[in-house]
Amino acid sequence: MTDDRKTTVPVWTLATTDVQVPGLTAGDSMTAERLAELRGVLAVLADQPIVTLEVHPLPATIERGRGIPLDAASPLAQHLSQFITQSARSSLTVARATGSGECLYRMVVPAKVASQLGQGILRPMVAKGGAGGAIFGDLVNSTGKIASKVTFMPVGGAAAAGTVGGAGATAGVAAAGGTALAVAAPLVLMAVAVGVSAHADQKRQQAIEHITKLLEQLQEEKLDDEHSELDGCRDAIDKATAILLDQGTLGVSLGIDSAVHAINTALGKADRRLARWQSALDGLPEGKAVELGTLTKSFPGVDDHGGAFRAHLELASLAVALKRRVVVLQAVDHAQRDAGNPFENFTRALKRDQQRLDELESGIAGVLVRLSALELARPNGLRPVFTTGEVERLLSAAHRIHQLGDGVTVNSRTTDVAIEIARAKDGSVVVFPALPA
């Protein structure tokens, strides 16, 4: 915060179906720490997913290009508007916080639910210009945690009429054991779907940037063709995303089938390359230094910033990011076909289809960690003394190979996940990539 006044942040507990939980909120204000404890208790005690929804002042500067925009007529925007309007009628705190029409909504999904969505799909990423990927500006401190001057005020459940995403689930209030929970499965489904999709697209954009630079140096036509074919899938995926989020149905004319085929072909190549890398590492003498020449036979360009090995890594990352967006589309489509339990269908579909992607990413991460731990041996030769250039190349190669393990996460522990939604005065929204809460 930039002044000495406390900001009161309304916070709701939202359920995806009727649940039985003890009365944990007494209507008193709470700190960020107490709110985090509340989320943990709810996640443990509730049989069905319970998320929290906060409303913050909209920061003056927000990088909207990172998110997925939805107009005011979209189901997610409409459902959010209805929910807030009805909440404001019964809560002065909500009315004050949302009166300007421009707010930043933050939905936090508990780690237990996030684990059902998968490890890789919500792996921590740092956004440009933000602490830990946060976009709260002055609302967070240098560590990315919400500033102590922000006070959270629990809000009772609010009936949000209507349906979202064609799921056919009407939101309402479930009073269970003294705690009023707003049953808002469609709102939660759509927010998670768009946030996860935006997260996957952010990873796609990063992979594209890296691949473009690498291929400009390599001038490898075959790899360039792989890149072009994958990048060409984006248009069909974007259109399919827009149609599904507007409650439409996917048709053959979109070209999504061709896109899925291209992505699956790229994933098959990534699987085969991973198997070769793992086999090459298994064949190295254990505990002994490895000559650089031996290493580059199996990992061409591993000692350079623009080698083919690094291009293969980025192509695999691009294929995974695109496939994750497709998986979200398939999960939303599947959930919308069953009016009874949209969110449960959604999580089941995600968990089933993205297991292969988690395994691929974990396998690649394992290869990078093993490579980074290797010790390079001096080149074999008859000369007892090596030139300055040869020594510098060996030291530079060792440094670059050891850097391969930087930032690599293998089997990371799933944390709570935050999905941030910026709402404009006209009711339109921008949903930002999901990130660790």
Side-chain angles (χ1 to χ4, degrees):
M1 297 295 292
T2 57
D3 54 37
D4 294 330
R5 294 175 298 173
K6 287 186 177 181
T7 297
T8 300
V9 175
V11 56
W12 296 264
T13 47
L14 306 181
T16 57
T17 185
D18 290 344
V19 292
Q20 294 294 324
V21 295
L24 298 173
T25 58
D28 297 328
S29 61
M30 63 176 67
T31 63
E33 290 74 16
R34 186 182 171 203
L35 178 59
E37 293 174 357
L38 171 64
R39 291 192 188 107
V41 172
L42 289 173
V44 171
L45 297 180
D47 295 329
Q48 299 296 330
I50 295 178
V51 305
T52 58
L53 180 67
E54 310 158 14
V55 54
H56 296 262
L58 188 66
T61 56
I62 263 194
E63 194 179 345
R64 296 178 183 271
R66 295 192 305 113
I68 293 179
L70 299 172
D71 61 37
S74 65
L76 174 58
Q78 286 187 336
H79 199 80
L80 181 61
S81 295
Q82 293 169 6
F83 184 85
I84 297 304
T85 298
Q86 295 183 27
S87 295
R89 291 172 183 168
S90 58
S91 171
L92 183 58
T93 300
V94 176
R96 288 173 176 170
T98 61
S100 68
E102 292 186 328
C103 297
L104 183 69
Y105 296 89
R106 190 175 196 248
M107 181 179 290
V108 179
V109 181
K112 184 171 73 172
V113 180
S115 66
Q116 298 173 4
L117 305 179
Q119 296 176 352
I121 205 166
L122 294 173
R123 186 164 292 150
M125 292 180 65
V126 178
K128 295 179 181 178
I135 60 172
F136 282 129
D138 289 337
L139 286 174
V140 296
N141 57 27
S142 59
T143 64
K145 294 182 179 179
I146 296 174
S148 60
K149 292 180 183 177
V150 174
T151 301
F152 294 90
M153 179 65 69
V155 182
T163 62
V164 169
T170 302
V173 175
T179 298
L181 300 177
V183 182
L187 174 60
V188 176
L189 166 65
M190 282 299 182
V192 172
V194 185
V196 168
S197 185
H199 176 87
D201 193 57
Q202 188 180 51
K203 295 182 74 173
R204 179 200 64 81
Q205 292 175 19
Q206 291 181 345
I208 286 289
E209 291 174 4
H210 296 156
I211 292 171
T212 301
K213 293 178 182 177
L214 288 170
L215 294 184
E216 285 175 354
Q217 300 174 40
L218 280 172
Q219 296 182 342
E220 287 274 355
E221 290 187 7
K222 290 184 177 180
L223 293 182
D224 194 50
D225 289 342
E226 285 187 46
H227 172 217
S228 298
E229 190 169 7
L230 280 174
D231 199 27
C233 299
R234 181 191 174 186
D235 186 57
I237 294 175
D238 285 348
K239 289 178 181 177
T241 301
I243 288 174
L244 275 181
L245 295 181
D246 283 339
Q247 298 180 252
T249 56
L250 302 181
V252 179
S253 62
L254 287 174
I256 192 70
D257 291 342
S258 299
V260 170
H261 174 73
I263 295 169
N264 287 340
T265 300
L267 288 172
K269 292 179 180 179
D271 283 329
R272 290 191 294 273
R273 286 166 180 158
L274 173 60
R276 289 199 297 268
W277 296 336
Q278 291 172 329
S279 178
L281 287 171
D282 291 340
L284 296 177
E286 188 174 354
K288 294 184 179 180
V290 181
E291 283 192 36
L292 182 59
T294 301
L295 200 59
T296 55
K297 288 181 181 179
S298 300
F299 304 90
V302 69
D303 57 328
D304 194 2
H305 285 304
F309 170 67
R310 295 174 190 267
H312 290 157
L313 289 176
E314 296 300 338
L315 284 168
S317 178
L318 175 57
V320 169
L322 288 170
K323 183 64 174 179
R324 288 202 187 281
R325 285 202 68 185
V326 170
V327 168
V328 173
L329 293 178
Q330 293 169 336
V332 171
D333 187 40
H334 181 65
Q336 289 182 159
R337 294 175 187 273
D338 188 340
N341 56 350
F343 192 78
E344 287 73 15
N345 279 340
F346 175 73
T347 53
R348 277 199 297 268
L350 274 181
K351 184 177 181 179
R352 179 177 61 250
D353 292 341
Q354 43 114 45
Q355 185 176 356
R356 174 195 176 190
L357 301 178
D358 287 344
E359 292 174 352
L360 175 60
E361 285 194 320
S362 295
I364 291 175
V367 166
L368 295 178
V369 170
R370 292 175 68 182
L371 279 172
S372 67
L374 291 176
E375 178 185 354
L376 292 184
R378 294 176 56 185
N380 288 328
L382 299 176
R383 292 178 300 159
V385 179
F386 297 96
T387 66
T388 303
E390 289 173 327
V391 172
E392 288 180 349
R393 182 186 176 227
L394 185 62
L395 291 175
S396 177
H399 177 67
R400 287 177 179 143
I401 291 171
H402 291 160
Q403 282 185 320
L404 289 172
D406 293 349
V408 173
T409 304
V410 182
N411 297 324
S412 61
R413 177 176 170 269
T414 306
T415 63
D416 291 353
V417 171
I419 297 160
E420 293 161 348
I421 306 170
R423 184 175 182 270
K425 288 183 178 180
D426 63 1
S428 62
V429 298
V430 176
V431 185
F432 295 95
L435 47 83

